[in-house]
C-alpha cells in the first residue's frame, strides 16, 4: 500500500506491464504517485492511486464506479437505502401494548448499544440482530451477499445472546420484546431464529486469537448465553443515554442532512477513541488541504468519536467530548468545515476485522473517504510483548475488503513531535533524531502526574481537560474510580 | 438450506412475497421443491432451487449465469485459465542450472504437497506460495479479488514458512530454489516477498479454534518458522511419489481431458478420505440418477480421495485406494461413468473453511456439481465432548461462499443401514427404529476385531481390504505401526 496520506482507492491491472515502477500520473496539474503490492495471481497487482484518478478516462481504470459521488450528493448507503427501524409515532402506543404482551428479554448495556446501532441504520442493510446466515457470512467472509450478487461489508457479528432459560421461555413464540437494563420496553424482535452460540469459534474468527484478556470478549462474550437469537427489529423509541451528550448522538440520517446542507462534495471520516492531539489535527487539516487541491469545493471532516463500551484505561467519553470541544473552540480544527458526532458502537479491539466495521458504518453516514492510521482498533497483546495485530494489517485489509471498494482509504502518515520546529509534524526519517514519539501511555502518564507535554503537542484547553480527568482519579482508589469510569463508559 | 440431494445453487429474491411456502416449480415435467432461509436483510432470503432451474427463463432468476456449463464443455477454471507451473522440457536443464546457483530452502513433506497442488493449478489462479496480500484475503475473506472486481474462492492459506536462519540467508536474493526432503532441487520461487508468520492468528482464523490437538496445526504450523515467503513458482518436474499410486495422481488438465473425451455434460465430485461404504455408493448412484432425470446425457462421477497428509487414525492412502479399486471391480460404482483420481492436498481438518478449498479445487478439475455431507472436513473437538464444528455449517458456508456461486452444491442425505431391507438406505425418520448408524469409529473397530459388518454395509472385497489393513496392525505395537502409517501417509 502507498503510505501517502492522499486519497486512495484500489485499482487492479492485469497487464504484466503494470509495474511498481510505473510513472506518476498527472491530473489537473497535480502529480499523483502510485505504488503497488505484488500478488501471486498471474500478472495481477493491487495498485493504489490517488482517488482523483477515478475521474480520469475510464479506459485506464477498473472498479472505480461510485467511488466518487456525483457532485452535490453523498455516497449511497450499503444496500441502496438507509435502514431505520424506529416505530412511527402514530403506531407507538399500539406496538407498546403488543410488546408488553410478549415474553421479554433483558438486555445488557452493550446489547442496548447494538440496538441503537441497528435502529439508526449504521449497519444497513441489516435490519435486526443477525440470523445464522448473516452470522456465518460475517465470521467467514466479513461480508454479506446481496440480491444482485454484490457484497456489502459486515465484518463483526451483531448478535443477541440468550441463556437456556430464555431460550425455553421464547421457543414457542415468533416474536419477543426487549427490555433495557432499567426494565423499560424498548423493542420487538420478530420472526425469531434461534441458533447455537459457539463462543470459541466466534472469538477465534473475529479476534484472530482466543487469549485471555481481550476486553470485549471478557466483558460481553465469555459470560453471555449459549444461544443466539436473530430477527427483525422494531424499536419503540430513539435510544437516549441522558448523560448530557445525546445532542452529539446524530444518526446517519441526521448526519446526511447536515452534510447535504453544508453542500459537502467530499466527506472524510476520522474514527477515534482518544483525545485529539495536534498530530491528529495536522493529519485532518492536511487531508482537507489535499482534497481542495484535488478540486473538491466543500470537503467536510466528520470527527467521529466512538461512544459505546471502551476498556477501563481508555479516557471516558464524557472527558473526551470536553476535550474535543476545546479543540474546536481553540480553532485547532475548523468548526465551519467539521461535523462532530458520536458513533454509538461498542469498541471490540478487534483490529483489522473491526476497522472494516468502523469504515462501513461511516459509509452509511455519508462518508466517502476514511482515514486509517497505524494499528486501527488494535491494542497490545494481553500476554505477549507485542501488538496483538500487525500494525500494517489494518490498512491492508481495509483496502482489500469486500464491500468497501466504493470507499477511498486515506492511510495515516505518522506524526510526531518535531523538536527542531517545536510542533507536531509528519515524521521525516531523514532527520529522525529531531522527532519525539509521545505514545498514548506516555501522554496519560504526563497528565496523571500533572506535568506538561512539550509545547505544541496539544492545545492548552484540551490538555487541561485531560489533566483534570486524571487528577480526578486519586492514586489511592484508582482501582475504584477506574471501575467507576468503566461503568460510566458503559452506562446507557 | 434445503436438505434435498437434488442439485442446488443459491438464488436470491428481494421480494417479500418470496416465502418458504412458495409452490414447487415445474420444468421438463419434473417437479422441483424449493426451500428458504430467512435473513435479517430487508426482504431478502437465500433460496436454494434445483440447479436445473438455471435453464429456466431468465426473468425468474438471479445469479445463475455460468452455473450450467454450455453443453459439451466444462466449467471454466477459476480466473478463466488453468495455471500450470511446470517448466517446459526444453528449458529444464537451463533452469536446473539456475536453481543450483541460488540459495535453497528444504521443504517438509507437506510443503511438497503444496508445491504439487500449486504446480498443477488446483489453486488457480494462484501461481505460487501466497504473498501477504493473498494471505490476508484468505484469512479474512476466504476469497481473492480479481482484476475485474469479481472474487475467486481461496479459504485456506497456501504458504511457505521459513525460520530466522533461512530468512537471513535469502534476504538479499529475489529468487530461491526449493529442495525436496531428499535434497533434490524441485522448484524456483521468484520475486520473493518475506512477511511475518503470526501462527496464533493464522490458526484462530483458519480453524476457528486454538485448542491443542488440531492435527494439521500440530503437524505443520506450530513447529514451522516465524516467517512466510511468497513468490511465483517454477516447478522443474512433475511431483512423483513412487508409491505405486502415481498413475492415480491425475492433474486438473489430465482430468479435464478425460472428462471431455467422455463427453461429460455434468461432473459431480465426491471428496473423501475414508473407505467407500454402500451408503456413499447409494448417494453417488442416486445423484447420477437425478442428473439424468434432469436431462443430462453424460453425468460423470469424479471419485476423488484426498492423498496428502492425514491424521494417524485415518486409513492410509494405499489401503483406501485398494478398497476403492474393489468397489469399482465389484460394480458398486459404475466404472464407465466414474473417473477416479487422487487429490494431492494435505488434510487440514478445518471444517467449513476447508470444505470451500475442497470444492474450489474441483472446479479447477472440471467439476460443476459438488457433493457435501454432514460435517465436511470436521472432527471431534480435541478436548470437549462435541464436534469441533457444527455439522450443518459446512454446507451452509459452502452455499454462501464468495467465488463458489458457479458451483452446484449437492447436500448429502444421511444414509444408514436399513435393518428392514438389509441394505444401506436414505434415513427415514418416520421409521427411525429400522435404521442402524455405523460410525467410522464403529467400522474401524469391527474391522480391527476381524468381525463382519451387517451384510450390505460394504462390498465383501472392499471390507476384506479394511480387515487386512487393521489385522496388519497388531495390538501390541499399534503405537508403533500407527506411527509407521502416519509416515506412510506423509511420505512423498
Amino acid at each position: 500500500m502507498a503510505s501517502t496520506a492522499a486519497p486512495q482507492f484500489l485499482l487492479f491491472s492485469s497487464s504484466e506491464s503494470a509495474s511498481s515502477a510505473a510513472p506518476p500520473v498527472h491530473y489537473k496539474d497535480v502529480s499523483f504517485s502510485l505504488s503497488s503490492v505484488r500478488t501471486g495471481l498471474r500478472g495481477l497487482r493491487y495498485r493504489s492511486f490517488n482517488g482523483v484518478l477515478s475521474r480520469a478516462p475510464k479506459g485506464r481504470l477498473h472498479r472505480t464506479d461510485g467511488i466518487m459521488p456525483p457532485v452535490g450528493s453523498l455516497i449511497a448507503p450499503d444496500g441502496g437505502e438507509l435502514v431505520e427501524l424506529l416505530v412511527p409515532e402514530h403506531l407507538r402506543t399500539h406496538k407498546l401494548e403488543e410488546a408488553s404482551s410478549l415474553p421479554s428479554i433483558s438486555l445488557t448495556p452493550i446489547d442496548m448499544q447494538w440496538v441503537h446501532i441497528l435502529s439508526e441504520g449504521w449497519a444497513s442493510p441489516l435490519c435486526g440482530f443477525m440470523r445464522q446466515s448473516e452470522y456465518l457470512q460475517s465470521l467467514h467472509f466479513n461480508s454479506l451477499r446481496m440480491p444482485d450478487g454484490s457484497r456489502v461489508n459486515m465484518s463483526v457479528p451483531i448478535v443477541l445472546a440468550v441463556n437456556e432459560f430464555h431460550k425455553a421461555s421464547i421457543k414457542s413464540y415468533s416474536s419477543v420484546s426487549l427490555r433495557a437494563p432499567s426494565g423499560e420496553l424498548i423493542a420487538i424482535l420478530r420472526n425469531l431464529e434461534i441458533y447455537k452460540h459457539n463462543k470459541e469459534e466466534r472469538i477465534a474468527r473475529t479476534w484472530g486469537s482466543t487469549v485471555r484478556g481481550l476486553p470485549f470478549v471478557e466483558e460481553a462474550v465469555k459470560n453471555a448465553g449459549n444461544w443466539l437469537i436473530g430477527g427483525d427489529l422494531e424499536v419503540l423509541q430513539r435510544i437516549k443515554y441522558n448523560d448530557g451528550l445525546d445532542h452529539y448522538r446524530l444518526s446517519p440520517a441526521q448526519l446526511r442532512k447536515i452534510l447535504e446542507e453544508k453542500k459537502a462534495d467530499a466527506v472524510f471520516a476520522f474514527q477515534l477513541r482518544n483525545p485529539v492531539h495536534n498530530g491528529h489535527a495536522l493529519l485532518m487539516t492536511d487531508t482537507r488541504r489535499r482534497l481542495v487541491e484535488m478540486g473538491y469545493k466543500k470537503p467536510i471532516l466528520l470527527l467521529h468519536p466512538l461512544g459505546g463500551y471502551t476498556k477501563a484505561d481508555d479516557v471516558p467519553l464524557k472527558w473526551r467530548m470536553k476535550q474535543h470541544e476545546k479543540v474546536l473552540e481553540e480553532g485547532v480544527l475548523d468548526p465551519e468545515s467539521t461535523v462532530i458526532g458520536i458513533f454509538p458502537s461498542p469498541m471490540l479491539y478487534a483490529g483489522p476485522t473491526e476497522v472494516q466495521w468502523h469504515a462501513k458504518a461511516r459509509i452509511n453516514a455519508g462518508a466517502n473517504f476514511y482515514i486509517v492510521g497505524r494499528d486501527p482498533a488494535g491494542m497490545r497483546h494481553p500476554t505477549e510483548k507485542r501488538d496483538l495485530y500487525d500494525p500494517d494489517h489494518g490498512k491492508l485489509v481495509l483496502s482489500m475488503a469486500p464491500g468497501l471498494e466504493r470507499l477511498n482509504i486515506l492511510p495515516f502518515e505518522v506524526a510526531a513531535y518535531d523538536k527542531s520546529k517545536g510542533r507536531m509534524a509528519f515524521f521525516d526519517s531523514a532527520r529522525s533524531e529531531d522527532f519525539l514519539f509521545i505514545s498514548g501511555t506516555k501522554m496519560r502518564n504526563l497528565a496523571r502526574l500533572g506535568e506538561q507535554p512539550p509545547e505544541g503537542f496539544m492545545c492548552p484547553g484540551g490538555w487541561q481537560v485531560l489533566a483534570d480527568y486524571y487528577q480526578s482519579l486519586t492514586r489511592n482508589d484508582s482501582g475504584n474510580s477506574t471501575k467507576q469510569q468503566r461503568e460510566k463508559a458503559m452506562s446507557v
Side-chain angles (χ1 to χ4, degrees), chain A residues 371-385:
Chain A
I371 295 169
V372 57
R374 178 190 178 280
D375 199 18
M379 54 179 270
R380 296 291 293 170
H381 193 286
T383 62
E384 299 171 22
K385 279 200 167 46

Side-chain angles (χ1 to χ4, degrees), chain A residues 114 156-157 206-207 215-217 309 345-350 354 357 377:
Chain A
W114 287 129
V156 303
T206 304
W207 280 270
F216 185 93
V217 169
Y309 162 80
S345 175
M347 189 72 203
L348 276 64
Y349 306 92
E354 183 172 19
W357 160 240

Side-chain angles (χ1 to χ4, degrees), chain A residues 96 126 277 279 369 420 423:
Chain A
L96 205 47
L126 217 56
H277 60 58
F369 290 86
S420 71
R423 57 176 173 77

